Amino acid sequence: MRILVAGGGGFVGSHLTDRLLDRGDEVVVLDNFSTGRRSNLDHLASTAQVEVVEHDVTERLPDLGSFDVVANLASPASPDDFARIPLAILEVGSTGTRRLLDLALACDARFLQASTSEVYGDPEVHPQHEDYVGHVDPIGPRSCYDEAKRFGEALVMAHARVHGTRVGIARIFNTYGERMAPADGRVVNTFIVQALRGEPLTVHGDGSQTRSFCHVSDLVAGLTALLDHSTNGPVNLGNPDEFTVRTLAEIVIEMTGSTSRIDSIPMPEERTGDPAQRRPDISRARDLLGWSPTVSVRDG
């Protein structure tokens, strides 16, 4: 297939690009590299089946030819970005998503929207399943990302209802792995960097909040399966193994052999609204896609 990966220079997007090329697809990467990194694609410089186009999806798209699939992974996703570029996040979730949907319609391509578990907000249902409508603060410091993704899902489904666009939605839970930017504010890379430097691992509050961490190799296997499937509703993709943040810090210290201690610090204002619990119900992914993660947190 010929596939457009918007945001293909990012952490997840670059791994998805690798997976698609490995199976024989032709890929066009579209990225403005505001948060994605060219170094994530350097190993593909001599690969004839990939083309990299630097462009902002909120601007009118260049003539890129026809595609079988349009995959929208174009969005800043770091907690640090929420305070730094909130308007850009909202614009890419709205204008950018619409431009890519219109391209998919013009090509009669399947459209894959990379959404997020953040659409569930600070959930009152645990674990979170796709029928849960969420508990989101629309004006808090995280709202630019949460609401951009929620609006993106609404736009995708409206486009499908009005135009018959073939769409799929992946609700991605916490993902980690190679090519994460070391200083982007996410918890796994923050802890690893602190441990390698021998610095205290800083846990917000008492560290009892929970997360479920999925290695990027598992995630892209799920994304590829969803890309190839015809289902048009949202599908959770994540690892249902749940850890407290403090337990994660202890694992990182153990595996790096660090002498770091764990320090509890107050929750920063920009992290207000962080969910207390986060774990996916992946029954739909198992039933529809035959997918479930295989990489443990320690192996990852």
Side-chain angles (χ1 to χ4, degrees):
M1 295 191 291
R2 189 166 190 263
I3 299 175
L4 178 70
V5 180
F11 161 49
V12 173
S14 64
H15 282 280
L16 178 61
T17 296
D18 286 347
R19 180 68 62 99
L20 297 173
L21 292 170
D22 285 345
R23 72 178 200 171
D25 294 320
E26 179 184 348
V27 178
V28 175
V29 168
L30 191 67
D31 204 305
N32 69 350
F33 297 102
S34 62
T35 57
R37 296 183 293 175
R38 287 191 174 276
S39 60
N40 289 342
L41 302 170
D42 282 349
H43 62 289
L44 301 176
S46 61
T47 304
Q49 289 76 26
V50 63
E51 178 185 2
V52 179
V53 178
E54 184 170 351
H55 187 78
D56 187 334
V57 296
T58 65
E59 303 293 336
R60 182 176 178 177
L61 299 180
D63 183 2
L64 300 167
S66 187
F67 297 96
D68 300 292
V69 174
V70 173
N72 181 21
L73 285 79
S75 176
S78 159
D80 290 351
D81 294 332
F82 304 164
R84 186 174 63 89
I85 48 171
L87 295 178
I89 291 171
L90 287 161
E91 189 172 12
V92 74
S94 51
T95 303
T97 300
R98 178 61 187 271
R99 290 190 188 280
L100 293 168
L101 278 163
D102 289 345
L103 173 63
L105 178 64
C107 297
D108 190 26
R110 176 158 169 78
F111 182 88
L112 179 63
Q113 173 76 353
S115 188
T116 173
S117 60
E118 298 294 337
V119 301
Y120 299 122
D122 188 2
E124 298 174 315
V125 170
H126 193 74
Q128 294 79 57
H129 53 79
E130 291 88 349
D131 294 331
Y132 175 53
V133 297
H135 177 227
V136 178
D137 176 3
I139 61 170
R142 303 173 64 89
S143 62
C144 60
Y145 186 66
D146 300 355
E147 296 296 355
K149 289 298 189 180
R150 286 165 66 90
F151 179 81
E153 289 196 15
L155 186 56
V156 166
M157 294 309 297
H159 212 275
R161 294 183 185 110
V162 172
H163 298 297
T165 316
R166 296 181 291 116
V167 301
I169 298 171
R171 289 182 178 164
I172 298 171
F173 282 67
N174 293 71
T175 305
Y176 69 98
E178 299 82 352
R179 301 181 198 157
M180 294 185 81
D184 76 356
R186 287 185 255 203
V187 64
V188 173
N189 35 340
T190 297
F191 282 173
I192 290 172
V193 169
Q194 289 172 333
L196 291 174
R197 290 175 174 168
E199 299 169 353
L201 274 63
T202 49
V203 170
H204 296 147
D206 62 4
S208 62
Q209 60 271 44
T210 67
R211 295 292 183 271
S212 303
F213 299 100
C214 186
H215 190 262
V216 68
S217 62
D218 280 331
L219 175 64
V220 296
L223 288 172
T224 306
L226 183 56
L227 176 151
D228 291 337
H229 202 276
S230 60
T231 187
N232 68 347
V235 177
N236 287 339
L237 296 178
N239 193 322
D241 290 342
E242 186 177 12
F243 295 86
T244 67
V245 171
R246 178 168 286 273
T247 298
L248 176 70
E250 292 167 351
I251 291 172
V252 168
I253 289 173
E254 173 194 336
M255 297 196 69
T256 56
S258 176
T259 58
S260 295
R261 66 179 187 272
I262 298 173
D263 281 356
S264 294
I265 63 173
M267 182 72 71
E269 184 177 352
E270 62 271 17
R271 294 298 184 99
T272 302
D274 266 12
Q277 292 180 302
R278 185 62 60 77
R279 176 161 66 95
D281 180 329
I282 61 168
S283 302
R284 185 174 293 179
R286 285 195 181 108
D287 294 344
L288 284 178
L289 309 178
W291 175 86
S292 59
T294 61
V295 179
S296 72
V297 165
R298 288 177 181 274
D299 289 342

